[in-house]
Amino acid sequence: VNFCVKSGIIELFSDVKIKNLKDYLLGVEVGMDTNARKNRSGQSMELIVMPIINSFRNKYNDLEVVFQKTFKYIKENYGVQIPQSLINRKFDFVLKKGDKFVNIEVNYYSGGGSKPQEIVNSYINRQNELKKSKWGFIWITDGLGWRAGFNQIKVGFNNIDYLLNLNFVKRGVLEEIIKNL
């Protein structure tokens, strides 16, 4: 019971709707099975982070949250500048607070490989592109795969302004960033 409380698994089962308990416990629903599609664990992270981000709406009246759209959607609906290289790219979350915009990307890695390195480089580039248009960028990532990719995540920490894990998010770091936008 102590492990379940400290690891957050009770919170996971009570706050996030698990579609199939057996698949979740076997790792299928969170993308740990050998035939998992690449987006399954990312979708699980979105389900974990979404209620946290949505809870900020109640605290900050001027906060709007857009989920799983393209940057083109933001340009067309909010009339803001978007780097041309990102216009057709999909995002996990965009937060608008007052006249400030922030892109939040989330993912989870249970294993190593070349994908985490590609993501680090991609998100460094995305942050740099967004900064040109006065946007912020936050990356929330987690998983045991980063143990094998320590050098890769270190590059991310050295080059991305806000790189968080779920523990940082639960301790209020994400909210502090959003509050100070």
Side-chain angles (χ1 to χ4, degrees), residues 65-81:
V65 179
V66 182
F67 175 68
Q68 284 290 331
K69 301 278 185 197
T70 63
F71 284 98
K72 182 178 181 181
Y73 173 90
I74 298 296
K75 181 177 183 174
E76 291 173 350
N77 288 275
Y78 293 93
V80 294
Q81 188 68 17

Side-chain angles (χ1 to χ4, degrees), residues 26-38 40 110:
L26 293 173
V28 173
E29 192 169 314
V30 292
M32 292 169 45
D33 63 318
T34 56
N35 297 317
R37 298 177 60 191
K38 70 174 186 166
R40 197 175 291 152
S110 57

Side-chain angles (χ1 to χ4, degrees), residues 15-16 45-56 93:
D15 293 348
V16 179
M45 277 291 282
E46 290 167 6
L47 287 173
I48 292 168
V49 173
M50 189 181 306
I52 296 167
I53 290 175
N54 281 333
S55 74
F56 301 151
F93 301 92

Side-chain angles (χ1 to χ4, degrees), residues 129-145:
E129 286 295 308
L130 288 170
K131 276 184 173 183
K132 293 176 188 174
S133 296
K134 309 271 191 266
W135 278 59
F137 180 77
I138 301 169
W139 179 22
I140 303 169
T141 189
D142 215 320
L144 294 176

